[in-house]
Amino acid sequence: MSRTRRTFLHQVAAFGIASAALGRRAFAQQMTMPMPQSSQPHAPQKLPRMLHNLELAPFVDAMPLPAVAHPDTNGRIRIGMHEVHAKLHRDVPPTRLWTYKAIGSPDQSGLAPLIEARSGQPLHVEWSNQLPQHHFLPVDFSLHGCGRDIPEVRACVHLHGSKTPPDSDGYPEDWYAPGKSRTAHYPLQQEAATLWYHDHAMGLNRLNMYAGLFGMAILRDDAEAALGLPSSKYEVPLILFDRNFSADGQLFYPSSGKPEHPWVPEFEGDAILINNKIRPYFEVEPRMYRFRLLNTANSRFFQLSLSAGHGFHQIGSDQGLLSAPLPMKHLLLAPAERADLLIDFSTLSGQKLHLLHGALPILEFRVANISPSAAYSIPSTLRQIERTPASRVARTRTITLDEAVDHIGNSMQMYLDKKRWHEPATEFPKLGSTEIWEFVNLTEDVHPLHLHMVRFQILDRRLFDVFAYRNNNGLHYLSDALPLEPNEMGWKDIVQCPPEIVTRIIVTFDGYPGKYLYHCHVLEHEANDMMRPFEVVA
Ligand code: C2O
C-alpha cells in the first residue's frame, strides 16, 4: 500500500475526531472494507499463497468466550505462555499461535484467560515463559534491544491500564527467556475498569502480540456492582483484532523485503477476528447485554456500528465507567482502547443483528425466538467524574511526534520528542503532581498514545501550522480547540493524536515512584522507536 494510501486510511480512521472537525466525515463513511495487507515498496517480498479471508464463509463458528481465571484465596494466579494450534475458522486448518493459559489447563483454544479481579485486592500473577526457543515470525535483529547476542524469544507482561509499581509493570527490558518465570504484584488500588495484559518485550512485542500474547482482565468494585448492569452470561468480552493468513492457515506477518531490516511501519490484516474466530456468530436472548470491547490489533482502528442503524449505549471507556450512558451509532476504537457497551436485543426476537466494521459485518448476533425478558432500564448516571482543574497544573510538557522517512517517503523510524528509546529519560514528573502533556503531531498518522501507571483526561485538540513549526517559527494554532467526542470525556489511558493537531491531556501522577514509559500503541511504531521512558520522582 502506498504511503499516501495508508496515510489516507489512518486519517480516515480518525473520523470520530479530526476528520469530523475537518469536515471529512463523508469520506470516512465511504471507507467501507478492510484493506488487503500492505507490502512495502522497497523490494518485492516473496509472498506465500495467501488465504482470501473475504472468501471464507462468515458466521459459521460460534464465538467462544475466554475461560475465567480467578485468583486463589491468597490472590494468586499462575499463567503460562504456550504455543498451541487453534481452529480460527471452520474452513481454515489449525493455526500456530502463542497464547497465555492457566498453568495446568488443557485449553488449546488460544484464547487467553479472562482475569477477574477486585479493586483494592492485591493480585499476584506468576507469568511463566514456556514458549519455544525460536520465533516463527520475522524477527528484526536490527531493532534496538533485539540483537543476536540475546535469546531470540523473550517475553514480559504488562497489565495495561493498571497502577502498578515499576518492578511489576513489565518494563520492556525486564524480559525473560523460555524456561523462566516472574511473579508480578498488582496492588489494584484503582477503580473498576476493563484492563488487559499483553507482551511488552523490547523489540519483539509486536510479533509476540501478533502471535497471540494478549488477554483481558476485568477489575470490579462495589460502586459499579451497585448499578445492576447486565452481568454473568449477559456481560460478554469482545476482543477484536485483524490478521493475515497464508493459504495453509498460518499467520502471515509482512516484511519490508530487506533481509537485514524486515520492520514495516504498520499494516492491516484482511481477516477480522473476535475472541479468536474469524467473523463468528453469537447467540443472544432478546434482552439487554453488556459488551466489553477491546482492540488488540497491531495497527488497525475499528470503525464499529450495528446493522440497520441500530443504536447502542457506551457506558465506559479505557479507565472505567463514563459519567452517564451515551446513546451512539458509531464507535471508533483505536489499538488498545476499550469500550463498554450496552446493546438492547429486546425488540429483535428471532432476528439477526450484525456488528459492522465499516460496511463489513464482522459478528452476527442471533437473537433467540422467545419472548423478551422484563424491560431493563439503563441507569441515568454511572459515576461522578470531576474534570481535573487547570489550577492544579504544575507544568506543561510539549512532546513532538516525529517520523523519519527515506528519499522516497518510506517510513524509517518514528520518535517521541525527537529522541529514541535508549536515550536517557527527560521527563521526571513529581509523584502526585498534575501536568499537561501536549502532543504535537508532525507525522501523517493518527497515533494512539499510552502512558503507563496513570489515568488521564483529554483536554482538547487544536490544528496548528506544521510548516511554521518545522521551520522553527513556533507553535501557531490554526483553529480554536476542537470539541472532543462525548465518549472521550471519561478517564482514559490511550489518547488518539491525529496529524497536524496538538492534542492535550491532563494527568496526575498518582501511584508509585520509578521508571515507566509512554508510547504509541501502534505496535510497529512502538518498536521503532516511538516509545520513551519517564520517571516519576518522589
Ligand atoms: Cu498496552 Cu505499554 O502498553
Side-chain angles (χ1 to χ4, degrees):
M1 181 162 39
S2 74
R3 176 175 179 81
T4 353
R5 179 71 183 137
R6 80 178 160 82
T7 300
F8 169 70
L9 289 178
H10 278 248
Q11 287 180 345
V12 153
F15 79 101
I17 39 177
S19 316
L22 302 171
R24 291 200 203 127
R25 191 177 287 273
F27 261 113
Q29 284 167 351
Q30 289 167 14
M31 212 296 275
T32 50
M33 299 292 280
M35 293 297 132
Q37 93 275 348
S38 66
S39 57
Q40 290 313 106
H42 289 297
Q45 183 192 359
K46 257 200 100 212
L47 289 180
R49 213 154 57 79
M50 298 297 289
L51 194 71
H52 296 294
N53 286 284
L54 292 174
E55 290 166 13
L56 290 173
F59 321 127
V60 293
D61 296 283
M63 183 181 78
L65 297 175
V68 176
H70 290 281
D72 67 15
T73 48
N74 299 316
R76 295 189 175 275
I77 299 183
R78 300 178 66 214
I79 292 180
M81 305 162 205
H82 294 269
E83 180 167 294
V84 297
H85 288 82
K87 281 287 279 180
L88 305 182
H89 184 277
R90 184 192 68 189
D91 302 330
V92 176
T95 304
R96 165 159 54 180
L97 298 175
W98 288 1
T99 188
Y100 299 100
K101 62 183 176 134
I103 289 190
S105 145
D107 191 349
Q108 292 290 315
S109 67
L111 192 53
L114 188 157
I115 296 177
E116 281 272 355
R118 301 276 317 168
S119 291
Q121 291 188 7
L123 173 72
H124 314 280
V125 184
E126 178 185 334
W127 301 105
S128 160
N129 181 351
Q130 307 191 13
L131 297 168
Q133 302 288 340
H134 290 288
H135 219 295
F136 68 98
L137 295 171
V139 174
D140 187 330
F141 294 97
S142 73
L143 292 180
H144 178 71
C146 210
R148 292 189 191 268
D149 51 337
I150 52 174
E152 180 175 314
V153 173
R154 308 177 295 281
C156 81
V157 188
H158 170 56
L159 181 58
H160 180 126
S162 71
K163 186 158 83 178
T164 297
D167 51 350
S168 287
D169 193 49
Y171 201 70
E173 285 153 2
D174 290 345
W175 49 261
Y176 38 101
K180 299 269 190 295
S181 63
R182 287 287 159 84
T183 298
H185 305 284
Y186 305 105
L188 300 179
Q189 297 286 341
Q190 59 187 110
E191 290 180 80
T194 310
L195 309 180
W196 64 299
Y197 56 98
H198 62 74
D199 189 76
H200 222 309
M202 193 73 215
L204 269 193
N205 71 321
R206 74 196 186 292
L207 303 179
N208 288 352
M209 289 170 72
Y210 194 77
L213 289 172
F214 53 80
M216 187 182 279
I218 293 183
L219 184 60
R220 301 184 186 277
D221 65 16
D222 295 339
E224 188 186 295
L227 293 169
L229 296 165
S231 61
S232 65
K233 67 172 178 168
Y234 307 115
E235 182 191 15
V236 179
L238 297 181
I239 303 171
L240 290 87
F241 54 99
D242 59 346
R243 293 291 182 268
N244 287 313
F245 296 93
S246 51
D248 59 354
Q250 300 312 305
L251 292 181
F252 174 79
Y253 187 97
S255 138
S256 65
K258 293 195 267 186
E260 71 298 346
H261 188 42
W263 176 81
V264 295
E266 66 243 334
F267 71 100
E268 291 177 337
D270 76 333
I272 307 292
L273 294 93
I274 305 185
N275 295 357
N276 277 20
K277 292 284 183 193
I278 300 172
R279 301 170 76 195
Y281 68 85
F282 187 60
E283 290 177 345
V284 295
E285 295 169 24
R287 66 175 331 271
M288 187 70 79
Y289 278 72
R290 177 180 189 182
F291 291 97
R292 306 257 194 170
L293 277 68
L294 161 65
N295 179 355
T296 65
N298 285 38
S299 319
R300 182 183 286 277
F301 288 64
F302 283 98
Q303 300 182 57
L304 302 169
S305 61
L306 293 171
S307 51
H310 203 85
F312 53 88
H313 283 83
Q314 183 168 354
I315 57 168
S317 60
D318 303 339
Q319 285 283 324
L321 294 170
L322 301 172
S323 56
L326 276 176
M328 294 177 41
K329 294 221 159 163
H330 298 275
L331 171 69
L332 175 71
L333 203 62
E337 278 188 317
R338 285 87 77 205
D340 204 333
L341 306 184
L342 293 180
I343 302 181
D344 185 6
F345 301 101
S346 64
T347 60
L348 298 171
S349 289
Q351 298 178 44
K352 287 175 179 164
L353 189 71
H354 291 97
L355 177 66
L356 312 178
H357 164 55
L360 180 77
I362 56 172
L363 172 62
E364 180 168 278
F365 295 108
R366 297 182 181 165
V367 189
N369 198 1
I370 54 176
S371 45
S373 43
Y376 170 85
S377 67
I378 299 179
S380 57
T381 58
L382 299 164
R383 70 162 160 174
Q384 285 255 321
I385 296 182
E386 234 185 82
R387 299 295 292 173
T388 309
S391 59
R392 223 180 272 163
V393 172
R395 66 173 286 177
T396 295
R397 298 177 196 270
T398 304
I399 290 158
T400 55
L401 317 186
D402 321 289
E403 178 171 23
V405 295
D406 68 10
H407 61 287
I408 54 164
N410 286 311
S411 185
M412 300 303 288
Q413 222 166 32
M414 310 203 189
Y415 310 100
L416 290 167
D417 214 23
K418 304 202 162 53
K419 292 181 194 73
R420 301 193 54 186
W421 164 257
H422 66 262
E423 295 178 54
T426 42
E427 318 309 322
F428 296 91
K430 269 219 172 85
L431 185 65
S433 71
T434 298
E435 300 191 349
I436 288 175
W437 285 30
E438 56 181 18
F439 299 110
V440 179
N441 189 347
L442 300 166
T443 76
E444 298 178 327
D445 294 329
V446 182
H447 297 283
L449 282 197
H450 170 51
L451 276 68
H452 283 217
M453 212 266 288
V454 291
R455 62 178 188 177
F456 54 74
Q457 292 174 352
I458 305 176
L459 278 181
D460 51 33
R461 296 190 180 85
R462 282 171 84 179
L463 287 161
F464 73 103
D465 185 339
V466 177
F467 186 78
Y469 191 87
R470 280 189 195 288
N471 289 291
N472 299 320
N473 286 324
L475 194 52
H476 295 284
Y477 289 110
L478 300 176
S479 76
D480 293 335
L482 307 170
L484 300 180
E485 291 292 307
N487 68 347
E488 295 185 302
M489 300 297 284
W491 289 106
K492 297 277 294 167
D493 56 46
I494 293 275
V495 58
Q496 297 185 25
C497 300
E500 295 169 32
I501 282 184
V502 177
T503 302
R504 299 196 310 156
I505 61 169
I506 184 166
V507 47
T508 300
F509 290 85
D510 263 339
Y512 309 91
K515 222 171 188 195
Y516 291 95
L517 55 151
Y518 69 107
H519 59 85
C520 176
H521 223 291
V522 168
L523 302 179
E524 285 68 28
H525 296 180
E526 171 187 343
N528 188 29
D529 213 26
M530 221 174 202
M531 179 164 87
R532 286 282 298 154
F534 70 86
E535 191 168 338
V536 179
V537 293

